[in-house]
Each structure stands twice: as structure tokens, then as C-alpha cells.
Amino acid sequence: MSANSAPADGPEPGPTGPGGPPSPPHTGPEGPLSHGPVLLLAGARLVDGRLVDVRISGTRIQAVGTAGSLGPLPQSALPCGSATVTGARIDLTGYLLLPAPAEPHAHHDSAFSATVPPPTALPAAPPATPAAAPGDPETPTELVRRVTEAALTSLGYGATAQRTHVRIGDVHGLRRLEAVLTARQALRGLAELQVVAVPRLLTGVAGADGRARLREALRLGADAIGGCPELDPDPVGYVQTLAGAALDFDCPVDLHTRAADQAQLARITAALAPLRPRVAFAPCDRLTPGGATVLRTAGVRVVCLPQSGSCCGVDGQPEGLSPLLVRELIDRQIALAAGSGALRDLANPVGRADPLEAAYLLAAGGGLGTVAAYEAVSNQARLVMGLPPVRVDAGFPAELLAVRGDSLAGALAGGHSRLVVHSGRVVSRTSAVREFADTVALALPRQSGHR
């Protein structure tokens, strides 16, 4: 039986200008995807159906025009110090061009740990971070590798900005945080990684280590603080301690809560009032009737986790995400973002880091339309992270995702081939290949089923 295969379904570099010669392979010192300060994305489709060229200069979109209307920038318009024509033209015919998604709620430090043996129990040692025992899967090298792999996996799906929650204190000390900070430094230029320090206990004598570690984590470079108040004997006291540290260090608070106790939820939101609007809650999967009104009044932003409804940051079995809960949050006009929450960890051994899957689940469940579902994983997620919005329009940050498909619904249903742009630079490219065993009369369909 003969085998026939469709060609790799990824966007290809085109000529450097209309009628120009093909671009040479990108083999500069920055890697095969590197290019100069100017990038032209040609023939892409927008959500509204328009076919456009998008020209990027530096880290921002410089111009958007009808397909075929834009060429390379003249030398006089290139960024200072640029070579003559050091950009690239990429043909995005058959691709949908979108604002890049973001990952507002990840646990990169526990990613891929579903089959990893539990770490060796070590006694708490407040003066120093406990050292990993020989053979422990939480050695610094292994932690950095796992965090980096998780971040790159998420980036490959399109998330150019990611926020990861990291456990600190107890047996973990600060080694997980240090590993994430090391990975963050290595990932600069590829993706933006925000770090949330998560202590387990903060109140009473038992919380002394957590309180010390929390402030040390902020001094080391954590971007935000969080945790699960419901795991502390005094949930409101836990939040008050967080609020004090957040005010002292001028940072956001990103909490885990299942939001099952409406009275407690009201007390927690009241303690965080001085920090509005830099407060986010997730996953809120057990929100009771009327709880959405409490969140709305408090101006809290909510991150839902459509994969399973929950994550490893809270206790209890995930119960899934109810479309009725999503509708209630939207009806109360609560800013709703969506994240993955788990990447093959104990909370979800088959968890994925694909923002388009999160949007698909929101839309398929009937909680949101396709546009609102994608907004939840893109600009609403960026809002939670304190990042500026993105539109495919001149002047906006060049944070973009090109995904194979002729519509947003098609992209959410099966857009596997993707090209990711971060800070004006192509940082990831995924090309899907579909193979069939027999020769058929019609041309083999490509990944999207079109063209």
C-alpha cells in the first residue's frame, strides 16, 4: 500500500518584497526563527473576515493593510542601527491572525509530576532553603528543566505571557521559587513569565515560616503573591497577612479559592479592598448563588479553569466547570479570564496547556460565544496579569498568534498549525502533517480541511 502525505502545514517565508527573490533560510545567530527588526505577515485573515498584511517594527505593530498592499519598510523608516533589509516576509494564507493568548493560571513547578515519585520529606529549616536529597526529583536542575519545559509547551500553543503559581515554605523552602526565577531569566525574549509566591500557612505559630518566606520571595523577585486561604486555620487572617505584604511591596494578589462559603468570601474580599483592582481569584468552582454578587461588588477578577474546574492549589477533587456558573459570572459583569491550571500533574494527569482548548471548552459548554471565549484566554487573561491589551491594529504590542483556520470557530475546533510572535519576533512555529495510506482521487486535505 503506498503512502501519501500532505506537506507540512506551516507558514513559509515568502519573498522579501513583491516580486522579490525568496528569503534565505533564517540561520542567524539567534536561531532558525530569528529575523531582523521588521517582520511582514502577509495574507492573514482576521476574525472579522478581512484578509490583511501586518507589518511589525520592533515590538509593535507598525501598519495593517489590505492583503498585498504592504511591503518592507524603506531604510529611512527602519529602527536606528538596522541593516538594509533585515526583516522577513511570512505568507499566512489560510491562517487566522489573533492577539496572542496568555496563561493566567499555571503551576509550572508541578508540571509533568503525575508520574513522578513524591519528594523526599525534609524537616523545615527556616534559616535556609532545605537541600534536595540525592535522587530527589526536586533537585534544582530537575526543577528548572521541568519549569522550562512547561513554559515552552505553553508558548508553543501560543501563550506569550504566562503566570505560574509556585509553592514556598515548609519542605519546599524557596527552591521551587528559585528554579522558576532561573527559568524565567533563561526564557527572556521567548516568553514573559510572571511568578506568584504561594505559602501554605501564614497565621499563628505554624505560619511563622510562611510569613518569613513570603517576604523573602518578594525580595528575590516574585511578581505577585497568593495561596489558598481555605487551607489556613484562619482564612481571613491569612488574607490580611497577604494584603499587608502586597501593600508593602506594591504587588498584586492572586488567590486560590473554591468560594463555597459566601460569608467568608465577603470577609476575604473586604480585607483585599485596598488592593483593587489588582486582585484575582481562581477557580471559584464551588461558588454559591449570590457569590457572584459579592465578587462583583468587590471588583475581583476571576480566572476559571475549564479543563477540570480546579487545580493542585486547592484541596478536594475537581468537579468540572459548570456552564451555569460561567453564565452567572458573565451576567454579573465580572471580568472573566480562563487558564489551564494543570499540565499533567496530580490534579489533572492528562492536563494540557493549550489556551485554545480552554476557549473551546468555554464555547462548547455553552457558557460563552466563540469571540467571548477567546477573549477570556487573550485580553481578559492579560488584564488579570496587568498587561496592556492587544489588537491586530497599528500601535498595539506585537503579541500575535497565527493559527490554521478560516474562522475563529474553526481554529478552536482544530487549529494545530500555529506561528507565535512575541515582542515582534517569531518565537515558535508548529506545523501539522496529515498522512493517508492510500492514493485518493481528490487532493489530500491539509490540516484545516481547506485549501
Side-chain angles (χ1 to χ4, degrees):
M1 184 178 295
S2 62
N4 290 279
S5 62
D9 190 27
E12 296 297 330
T16 56
S23 300
H26 301 311
T27 56
E30 298 179 28
L33 297 182
S34 64
H35 51 75
V38 179
L39 175 63
L40 183 64
L41 306 177
R45 186 179 297 276
L46 302 184
V47 171
D48 61 12
R50 287 181 295 150
L51 293 176
V52 298
D53 290 347
V54 176
R55 187 164 59 206
I56 296 168
S57 179
T59 62
R60 293 195 169 264
I61 298 172
Q62 191 268 339
V64 177
T66 305
S69 67
L70 296 183
L73 281 173
Q75 176 67 22
S76 60
L78 288 172
C80 183
S82 302
T84 308
V85 179
T86 56
R89 180 184 185 275
I90 297 178
D91 183 6
L92 290 182
T93 302
Y95 279 71
L96 192 70
L97 190 61
L98 301 163
E103 172 54 80
H105 192 105
H107 287 268
H108 288 343
D109 63 319
S110 61
F112 310 112
S113 64
T115 58
V116 172
T120 303
L122 294 171
T129 298
D136 196 318
E138 296 211 358
T139 60
T141 299
E142 173 61 18
L143 282 169
V144 171
R145 185 204 63 78
R146 198 163 69 210
V147 171
T148 303
E149 183 181 356
L152 290 176
T153 299
S154 187
L155 176 65
Y157 284 122
T160 61
Q162 304 166 27
R163 175 177 281 187
T164 181
H165 295 249
V166 184
R167 287 173 284 185
I168 62 171
D170 301 323
V171 298
H172 305 294
L174 292 174
R175 64 182 175 189
R176 287 193 169 202
L177 177 78
E178 290 164 348
V180 175
L181 294 176
T182 299
R184 181 176 72 178
Q185 182 63 33
L187 290 163
R188 288 196 188 280
L190 288 175
E192 179 172 347
L193 188 61
Q194 294 185 358
V195 183
V196 184
V198 178
R200 183 176 176 86
L201 300 176
L202 285 179
T203 65
V205 175
D209 176 58
R211 294 192 295 272
R213 299 292 188 186
L214 180 66
R215 291 181 173 268
E216 190 175 352
L218 287 166
R219 285 190 287 268
L220 284 174
D223 302 284
I225 53 178
C228 183
E230 294 152 13
L231 301 181
D232 193 284
D234 180 5
V236 176
Y238 183 102
V239 172
Q240 289 171 339
T241 301
L242 278 183
L247 289 170
D248 288 346
F249 285 84
D250 189 27
C251 71
V253 170
D254 195 336
L255 283 182
H256 286 76
T257 178
R258 308 199 81 165
D261 185 334
Q262 191 174 140
Q264 180 174 282
L265 186 65
R267 292 193 295 272
I268 286 174
T269 56
L272 294 170
L275 294 165
R276 297 180 199 169
R278 304 170 73 193
V279 177
F281 285 3
C284 299
D285 58 317
R286 294 182 182 172
L287 194 69
T288 55
T293 301
V294 174
L295 296 175
R296 168 63 179 168
T297 302
V300 170
R301 292 167 176 151
V302 173
V303 181
C304 66
L305 306 176
Q307 280 195 121
S308 65
S310 192
C311 66
C312 64
V314 296
D315 276 352
Q317 188 70 21
E319 298 178 358
L321 185 67
S322 165
L324 294 177
L325 172 59
V326 173
R327 284 280 13 132
E328 182 179 0
L329 294 171
I330 295 300
D331 290 344
R332 295 295 185 277
Q333 298 182 320
I334 293 172
L336 180 65
S340 65
L343 178 56
R344 293 170 56 192
D345 60 21
L346 292 175
N348 188 355
V350 295
R352 299 176 65 197
D354 187 354
L356 267 63
E357 181 183 46
Y360 157 78
L361 291 170
L362 286 174
L368 295 176
T370 54
V371 173
Y374 189 76
E375 186 74 5
V377 301
S378 55
N379 279 320
Q380 288 297 335
R382 291 180 64 86
L383 183 67
V384 165
M385 299 171 68
L387 300 173
V390 175
R391 289 209 321 254
V392 186
D393 206 351
F396 282 86
E399 303 288 327
L400 301 169
L401 170 65
V403 57
R404 188 75 184 170
D406 59 358
S407 67
L408 185 55
L412 297 187
H416 304 299
S417 294
R418 305 181 192 189
L419 180 138
V420 184
V421 176
H422 170 56
S423 293
R425 175 179 171 231
V426 177
V427 292
S428 175
R429 177 183 290 162
T430 301
S431 298
V433 177
R434 177 174 288 165
E435 296 184 344
F436 296 88
D438 291 320
T439 302
V440 292
L442 300 177
L444 290 174
R446 294 170 71 87
Q447 177 263 322
S448 68
H450 297 278
R451 190 181 167 191

